[in-house]
Amino acid sequence: MAAKAKSQFVCQNCGAVSSRWQGRCEDCGEWNTLVEESATGGVGAGPGGVLRKGRVVALTSLVGGSAEAPRVVTGIAEFDRVTGGGFVRGSALLVGGDPGIGKSTLLLQAAAALANRGVPVVYVSGEEAAAQIQMRAERLGLSQAPVRLASETSVEDILATLGDGKPPGLVVIDSIQTLWTERADSAPGTVTQVRAASQALIRYAKQSGACVVFVGHVTKDGQIAGPRVVEHMVDAVLYFEGDGGHHYRILRGVKNRFGPTDEIGVFEMTGAGLREVANPSELFLGERNAATPGAAVFAGMEGTRPILVEIQALVAPTAMGTPRRAVIGWDQSRLAMILAVLETHCRVRLGDCEVYLNVAGGLRIDEPAADLAVAAALVSSRLGTPLPPDRVYFGEVSLSGAIRPVSHAGARLKEARKLGFGQAVMPASALERDSLNGATGVEQLADLVASIAAASRLREAAE
Ligand code: TYD
Ligand code: MG
């Protein structure tokens, strides 16, 4: 009996497979993401579905690997920092980001930088014609770089081209969503296609020793559309972020088998491409108006690098039932916790207030060390009292209201002093250890609230 062509339903968001169509994916909970794809033509099926007999592979021992992964350095310091010191030979890397954020620009600049250093580079675009990329190269002043360019979407043709001659050091695939392979018979852009195409190119990377970089577009909710499965297949995932209103862009490592994931690279989009920003603090504090209540400067760390950033809070009384709480650039539940600690342990009334919190410059902060700066900004806004303009804050707040120490106190203070901040409010325990002048240690959040309240009373008395 001839086997009936079997079909399955694959979630285009998370790659989960279901035997029947459903409106909502059971795995990730997304709506309308299930698409019918052929089960037999997918990845892993041999020709005609006949299973090949396995061959014996040589087993080896754990000794023999070199300690350091062999890397190709671009010389673009902000890029190399995030990859952990350059592209790793034989690895695959995914650069995700919103459409229009500058991924193609970034990778063309990296490709040209490598090519200028004598590394053979191939740039394959499935989205733009060669002429468009040449125009961009012209604009970036890179048209003389010996990058070899192709406009192509067929994986088979790309592999044949790459296999012709000496393998390149770097291959850029822009973007993975446009690729199409004959190994899978689903439509381009579907999970099956993207997975099969990535698999073929990752295999090429491992065999040839080239580094393959995929560009991937991200959906509204911050996931790489369709090829979220690719995130698990590649060795490293970087996100290129930024917001429409600003010119700066942040390259952030979210997964890296060969390096750190907490480093960021900062760039500025200019008329002539992306410019490296070696001192991001100056950028994030650039538009600062220190005299307004509700602004506190946080001395943060991004990986090994200290970054000063302004936290802005607006606390306003509400007439409506449930007050709004909105956060940009920080964790919503972390804000809820700080608000609860302020209410419970510091007797700051916030229950009937709307609270808005924003991290300036479109930066996203994950560090609990920002707690103290957030609390300072909130109290400052609630009391209508500006904080001293030359003061930074860092420290973690526990549920009891105690201030807990955070790492890298010395580096944070050094960066603050470098940028003209003479004062710091920080965990008291870290203070004893580092004993730095201009720094005030706090043990309880209530102490900080009391000092802002005292400043507020002084201000009122003066008026
Ligand atoms: P692009 O790299 O095409 O984005 P992506 O590949 O992520 O979709 O960049 C798109 C934007 O960058 C576009 O709006 C124009 C802007 N841009 C500049 O401002 N300066 C430049 O030198 C270049 C090349 C692009
Ligand atoms: Mg692009």
Side-chain angles (χ1 to χ4, degrees):
M1 194 179 81
K4 193 167 148 255
K6 252 183 84 180
S7 69
Q8 60 187 6
F9 296 86
V10 182
C11 170
Q12 303 298 303
N13 184 49
C14 70
V17 179
S18 161
S19 58
R20 65 197 163 85
W21 189 85
Q22 295 170 97
R24 185 172 188 211
C25 172
E26 281 180 349
D27 264 47
C28 67
E30 281 295 307
W31 288 93
N32 293 326
T33 54
L34 263 61
V35 167
E36 183 169 6
E37 294 184 12
S38 153
T40 48
V43 183
V50 182
L51 281 182
R52 171 178 80 80
K53 192 169 182 297
R55 80 188 153 84
V56 178
V57 295
L59 300 172
T60 178
S61 74
L62 291 175
V63 280
S66 61
E68 276 298 313
R71 292 183 183 270
V72 267
V73 179
T74 62
I76 303 176
E78 295 296 304
F79 200 114
D80 292 334
R81 184 206 317 282
V82 182
T83 51
F87 294 116
V88 175
R89 289 193 187 278
S91 75
L93 191 141
L94 176 69
V95 176
D98 293 324
I101 204 74
K103 301 181 293 298
S104 302
T105 309
L106 178 71
L107 287 165
L108 189 61
Q109 286 183 246
L114 272 183
N116 281 334
R117 291 175 150 232
V119 179
V121 176
V122 174
Y123 189 105
V124 183
S125 179
E127 302 196 333
E128 291 162 296
Q132 271 176 294
I133 300 160
Q134 285 157 353
M135 265 167 60
R136 179 180 295 135
E138 181 74 31
R139 179 172 175 184
L140 302 173
L142 298 172
S143 37
Q144 297 308 312
V147 174
R148 287 180 301 157
L149 183 65
S151 179
E152 186 51 63
T153 55
S154 155
V155 174
E156 281 70 31
D157 291 352
I158 293 169
L159 287 174
T161 312
L162 294 175
D164 187 29
K166 203 169 153 274
L170 175 76
V171 180
V172 178
I173 304 288
D174 186 2
S175 68
I176 187 67
Q177 278 110 331
T178 56
L179 288 198
W180 178 83
T181 171
E182 283 155 31
R183 288 156 204 251
D185 55 9
S186 313
T190 56
V191 167
T192 307
Q193 271 293 348
V194 165
R195 185 163 33 192
S198 322
Q199 235 165 30
L201 283 156
I202 291 169
R203 197 175 310 127
Y204 169 79
K206 303 260 181 280
Q207 282 165 359
S208 67
C211 173
V212 175
V213 177
F214 300 120
V215 171
H217 292 298
V218 164
T219 52
K220 287 191 296 304
D221 53 357
Q223 283 169 355
I224 300 215
R228 226 179 105 196
V229 279
V230 180
E231 290 194 24
H232 305 298
M233 295 162 61
V234 292
D235 299 297
V237 180
L238 312 181
Y239 271 80
F240 202 40
E241 313 169 330
D243 70 47
H246 294 105
H247 290 303
Y248 31 94
R249 306 277 182 266
I250 294 165
L251 186 67
R252 187 186 290 275
V254 293
K255 163 182 169 175
N256 196 343
R257 283 194 187 134
F258 305 108
T261 52
D262 53 0
E263 295 286 358
I264 66 168
V266 184
F267 297 88
E268 186 184 3
M269 182 61 97
T270 70
L274 291 156
R275 191 181 66 80
E276 291 180 69
V277 177
N279 192 346
S281 299
E282 275 169 16
L283 195 73
F284 293 122
L285 295 175
E287 299 139 27
R288 185 166 141 76
N289 176 8
T292 37
V297 175
F298 166 49
M301 293 295 291
E302 289 286 350
T304 53
R305 185 162 55 166
I307 289 187
L308 301 194
V309 55
E310 189 181 76
I311 311 264
Q312 302 162 344
L314 179 63
V315 179
T318 178
M320 285 176 292
T322 317
R324 275 196 66 169
R325 265 90 220 259
V327 192
I328 300 170
W330 209 49
D331 185 25
Q332 181 97 37
S333 47
R334 194 96 203 157
L335 172 66
M337 186 200 110
I338 300 292
L339 292 174
V341 172
L342 284 171
E343 287 253 18
T344 316
H345 297 295
C346 312
R347 291 197 225 115
V348 181
R349 281 197 55 203
L350 295 157
D352 54 354
C353 295
E354 307 214 324
V355 176
Y356 301 91
L357 192 81
N358 180 38
V359 176
L363 193 70
R364 202 186 66 224
I365 297 177
D366 298 322
E367 266 194 295
D371 291 353
L372 204 55
V374 169
L378 290 168
V379 175
S380 159
S381 176
R382 180 72 179 85
L383 300 178
T385 303
L387 299 168
D390 65 335
R391 183 179 285 179
V392 297
Y393 298 82
F394 62 90
E396 183 178 342
V397 173
S398 70
L399 280 177
S400 66
I403 307 299
R404 306 226 315 238
V406 295
S407 60
H408 304 295
R412 295 174 201 267
L413 289 168
K414 207 168 134 208
E415 174 80 357
R417 225 169 293 135
K418 201 170 91 191
L419 288 157
F421 288 81
Q423 307 178 46
V425 173
M426 57 183 282
S429 48
L431 187 67
E432 284 156 18
R433 206 164 352 112
D434 292 26
S435 69
L436 296 138
N437 50 7
T440 315
V442 278
E443 277 172 14
Q444 295 291 328
L445 187 56
D447 301 342
L448 173 70
V449 174
S451 76
I452 301 172
S456 168
R457 279 192 296 274
L458 274 178
R459 232 170 87 93
E460 273 165 19
E463 270 165 10

